[in-house]
Amino acid sequence: MGADHARLPRPVLTQVVVLAVAGAVVVVAALAIEQRASLWSAVPAAASLGLLAGLVLVRFRLLSSASPEPVAVPGETPRVARHYLVPTELPPAPDVFVGRHAEIARMLEVLATARAGGWGPRLTPVILITGRAGIGKTATALHFAYQVDARYPDGQLFGRRDMAAPGGGWEAVLRAFVGALLGPGDDRPTDRAVLAREFARLTRDRRVLAVLDDVRDGDDVSDLIPSGRACVAVITSRGTLAGQRADLRIDLPPLEQAASVELLDRLVGDDRVSRAAGAAEMIVRGAGNVPLGVILSGATLAGRPHWDLQLVVRRLRQRSGDTVDALDLAYELLTNDEQRALVCLGLLARPVFAPWELAACMRTGEADAWTIVERLSQAGLVERTAADASGVSRFHVLDRVYEYADARAARELSPQQRAEIQERYQSALRERHRRSAADGLHRRIYRIKDAGRLNEALDLVRSALALAQDNHDLPALDLAVATLAEINAELGNTADGPGPIARPAHREGTRMLAWVRSLRYSGLTLRRQFRIDEALRKLTDSLTALDDVDLPEQVRRNERVRTLRERAIAHAFGTTPLDGLGDIELIEALLSGDDELESHHRAGVAWAVGAIYDYADQHVPAEVAMRQGLAAARDNQQELWSAWLLHGTARLALDIGETGRCRTEAGSALQLFARMQHRYGTAHCRLLIGRAHARDGALPAASSALEETVETLSACDDIHLVAVTTAELAGVRVRQHRPAEARRLFEAAERVMNSLGDQQESMLIRQQLEDLRSGPAIEVPPATAP
C-alpha cells in the first residue's frame, strides 16, 4: 500500500539522508539471504534532520566508489575507496560502566604500540579478555570498542556465539562478516575456506574492528580475525583459549568494593545507597563484587523504589544468616508467581526457552507466562534473544541464574512435584508436535492484518514460525517466513524478505503456497523500486503457480484476489495505469456471488481502483472509488484499509489543489496509523501534510513535517519514498535560499535514482540541478504564516 512515492514534482535531496537511502539498497544486496538474517535495526528518532542524519550515519555510512583518492598516512595502511555499506554492528555499550579503567588503559596502550609499528607488519593486534560468567567481559570489550571506533572507519563488526544460526556455529558469523564488507552485486561465497580467504582479502587493506564475544575453549575463530595491521580484534571468553594468539591477555577480577558500591548506587539511584552505606556494602559483598551480581541486585532494588536497603538486608539475614547473596536478594523481592517461574526454569533441560514452555510448567496461560518472563527480564534474571530475523522470541536464563534456579528446584520441590512439572511439560510438547504451524496462516492472518491489529498479526506469524522450527516442519516454516515478509512489507520493511524459497517439485499445498506468496512479495518489492516490468512478471508467475496448488477453493480465491490486486497496483505505477482495470475485472468475477469474499476484499479493491484512476489523472472516478472503499472499510471494521483510503482521498485533494482538505484527511489517516503503531503509514501522511504546507508557502511547517517524515522512515526500507521525501524537503530548502546545500543534494539524488533505475525521476532531478547551477530558476511564491 502507499503510493506517494510515485511522483517527484520538485526534488531536492539531503545528501546525508540519501546515504542512508542508498544504504538500504546495499543491505538487501549484502544480506546472507539463506540465513534469513537482518543486518540492520531501527535507527533512533531525532529531533531534527541534522541529528537524524548523524544517527543514520552512526548506523550505516555509505561511501561511494567516487569518493576521494586514498590519502597515505605515514606508518598506517592507506585508506581505500569504498563502494560498500560500512557495517557498524556493535550493540549498545552498557549505560553504567565502572571500575575497569586500568584494563581499558592497557588495551589502548596495545593499539598505540601497534600504530607505532611495535610488531610484525602484517599482524593484527588481538586483545583477549577472559573471566568467569558475569564478570563484565562483554561490557569491557564494548566500552573499549566505542572509545576507538572512529579509528576503524571501514567497519565495526560484532559476532557472538549464540548469534550464530542453529548448526551454523562461527561459520555463520564469518558469513555475515564477509557479507557486510562486500559491495552490491559482489558474489557471496558459501564454503568456509573460501569465506576465510575472502575475509582476509577484504580486511587486508582496511581499518576494521572485530569483537568476538563468548568464544569457548575449542572454538576456532582464527579466520574471523581481520588480516590487516590497521585492524584490531577483541575476543572475550570464559576459558583460557590457550591456543589463541593474543597480544594482550586480561583476566578480569571482581570489582573493587568501592567500584561495586558505585555501580549499585548508579543503578538504584535516589541516594538510597548513601543513606544505607552499610547495607549497600553487604549487598555487593554478597554479590561477590561481580558486576552481574551487583546489576541483578540493582535491577531488583530499582524495581522496588520504596524499599529501604537496611530493611531488605535485615529480612534476608533472617532467612539466610549473615551472608546476603545477590540472587537470594533478587529472589526474595520477586512475587510468588515470579518465584515459581524461576524455580520451574531450573527444571528445563536447557537455559534457552520460549514462554510456552514456562506456561506448561506453571500450568498457566501463555499470555500470563509472557508477562512473568518480561518481569524476570526487567529484573535482569533472563534476557531476550532471537536466532534470526524473524523476530521469534526466545529467552536465555543467565548461567549463574540457571544454576541458582536448579539448586532452588532441588531444595524446594519434592521428587513428586518435579515429576508432575516434567509431565506437564512433556504433555504440552506432545500436543505442540500434533499442531500444524500453518493453521491461521491461510485466511485468518490477513483478516487480522486488515483490521489493523498488526501486532497481533506479527505475534501469530511468529508463533507459527516458532512452532514450525520446533517441529522441523519445513513447508510450514517456508509459509510462515513468506507470510511474515508480507506483513513486514505492509510496515515498510522489505530487507528481511523470504529469501530464495525454491519452487517445490510437487503440488503439496503448504509448500506451494509459500512459493506463491514469496513471488507476490517479490513483485511488491520490485514495484516499490519502480522496476514495474519485473514486478508484473513476478506477479504473473505467482498467479500461474497458484493454479498448481492443492488448496481449498476459498483459500485459493483469496490468494488470487490479493495477487491480482497487487498486479493492478503495479500497472497503476507503470506507464499505462488503466491496464490495471483488466485485473480489476478478473477480481470482480472472482467475488461475484460470494458475499463473504466480496465484503472482505471490497475496500482493498477500491483502493487499487482509486490508485489506477489517480495515476491516470482521472480524479473524479478515483475519488468515487476511494470514498466507496472507505465506506466498505468502516462497515467491515477494517481499520488498516480505512487509514489507507483516507490517505488516498487526501492525496487526491492535494492533486486538485485543496490543500486544507488534504491536511485534514491526512491528519485523520495519521491518527489511525499511529493507533496501529504503523510508522510507514504515518510517514506517508506526514509527507502529504508537508507537501500541502509547501504548496501554501508555509515553509517552516512544511520543513517540520518533512523532517518528521524522513525521521520516521529511517526504520523502513522504502528507499524510493525516502528519496522522494528528502527531495521535497530539499525543495523547501531551495525556496529558503540555500542553493549550495541544494546543489550537493541534487547530485546525491541523481545517483540514488540512477541506482534504482528510475530514469524519469533522475532526469527531473538533473534538470533541477542544471537550473540551479545556471541561476535561480525556481519561482518562490509568497510565504504565508505557518
Side-chain angles (χ1 to χ4, degrees), residues 257-442:
Q257 178 87 350
S260 293
V261 172
E262 179 188 353
L263 177 57
L264 184 68
D265 182 40
R266 293 173 66 180
L267 291 167
V268 173
D270 294 333
D271 296 324
R272 294 167 69 192
V273 166
S274 61
R275 294 198 303 267
E281 290 180 359
M282 184 170 290
I283 289 170
V284 299
R285 277 200 304 272
N289 289 309
V290 173
L292 176 60
V294 178
I295 290 169
L296 289 174
S297 300
T300 303
L301 292 167
R304 307 292 193 277
H306 303 298
W307 285 42
D308 181 85
L309 268 63
Q310 291 178 332
L311 292 177
V312 170
V313 170
R314 192 176 305 130
R315 172 182 170 182
L316 285 173
R317 291 180 67 177
Q318 290 172 352
R319 293 173 177 263
S320 308
D322 291 335
T323 61
V324 178
D325 183 84
L327 286 171
D328 284 334
L329 171 63
Y331 184 82
E332 288 297 332
L333 296 181
L334 296 175
T335 66
N336 290 337
D337 284 343
E338 291 161 3
Q339 289 180 349
R340 283 182 55 223
L342 192 63
V343 170
C344 286
L345 293 178
L347 296 178
L348 295 178
R350 49 185 170 64
V352 177
F353 70 98
W356 73 263
E357 296 176 86
L358 181 60
C361 291
M362 294 183 66
R363 196 184 289 163
T364 189
E366 191 167 342
D368 292 336
W370 268 100
T371 301
I372 293 171
V373 172
E374 293 289 0
R375 290 204 298 258
L376 293 177
S377 178
Q378 291 169 5
L381 299 170
V382 304
E383 59 184 5
R384 186 190 296 264
T385 183
D388 52 37
S390 68
V392 174
S393 291
R394 296 284 194 273
F395 290 86
H396 175 250
V397 189
L398 302 180
D399 288 356
R400 190 178 173 206
V401 177
Y402 186 56
E403 294 168 0
Y404 179 85
D406 180 52
R408 276 272 181 186
R411 186 166 63 247
E412 297 182 6
L413 299 176
S414 68
Q416 181 180 351
Q417 289 174 316
R418 291 197 296 272
E420 289 174 353
I421 293 173
Q422 292 287 359
E423 175 53 34
R424 287 201 297 271
Y425 175 81
Q426 292 299 326
S427 176
L429 187 62
R430 289 190 296 270
E431 175 59 29
R432 193 169 175 82
H433 285 324
R434 284 193 292 266
R435 288 169 50 196
S436 170
D439 290 346
L441 296 183
H442 289 163

Side-chain angles (χ1 to χ4, degrees), residues 195-215:
L195 284 165
R197 290 195 297 271
E198 187 70 357
F199 186 61
R201 181 188 70 80
L202 290 167
T203 55
R204 185 172 297 118
D205 297 318
R206 293 177 178 173
R207 300 177 180 189
V208 174
L209 178 152
V211 178
L212 305 177
D213 191 39
D214 196 23
V215 179

Side-chain angles (χ1 to χ4, degrees), residues 456-470:
E456 184 181 341
L458 286 169
D459 287 343
L460 175 61
V461 72
R462 285 170 178 160
S463 294
L465 271 167
L467 182 58
Q469 290 170 348
D470 290 346

Side-chain angles (χ1 to χ4, degrees), residues 750-765:
E750 185 178 5
R751 288 197 298 271
V752 171
M753 289 302 181
N754 282 334
S755 74
L756 293 174
D758 193 334
Q759 297 305 314
Q760 179 181 357
E761 304 298 3
S762 180
M763 185 169 57
L764 286 172
I765 292 171

Side-chain angles (χ1 to χ4, degrees), residues 512-573:
M512 278 297 293
L513 184 55
W515 169 246
V516 167
R517 288 183 182 175
S518 69
L519 289 170
R520 186 167 66 216
Y521 165 84
S522 297
L524 180 151
T525 303
L526 290 166
R527 186 254 294 171
R528 285 186 181 169
Q529 297 170 13
F530 276 73
R531 295 156 62 183
I532 301 301
D533 290 342
E534 295 173 71
L536 291 171
R537 283 196 294 271
K538 286 290 185 183
L539 293 164
T540 300
D541 289 345
S542 178
L543 289 167
T544 301
L546 191 56
D547 293 332
D548 293 331
V549 183
D550 289 330
L551 288 172
E553 185 57 29
Q554 191 76 350
V555 174
R556 185 197 307 276
R557 293 171 70 189
N558 271 285
E559 295 295 325
R560 185 171 293 280
V561 169
R562 292 187 192 99
T563 306
L564 284 168
R565 184 183 66 215
E566 181 57 42
R567 193 170 70 173
I569 295 168
H571 277 299
F573 280 37

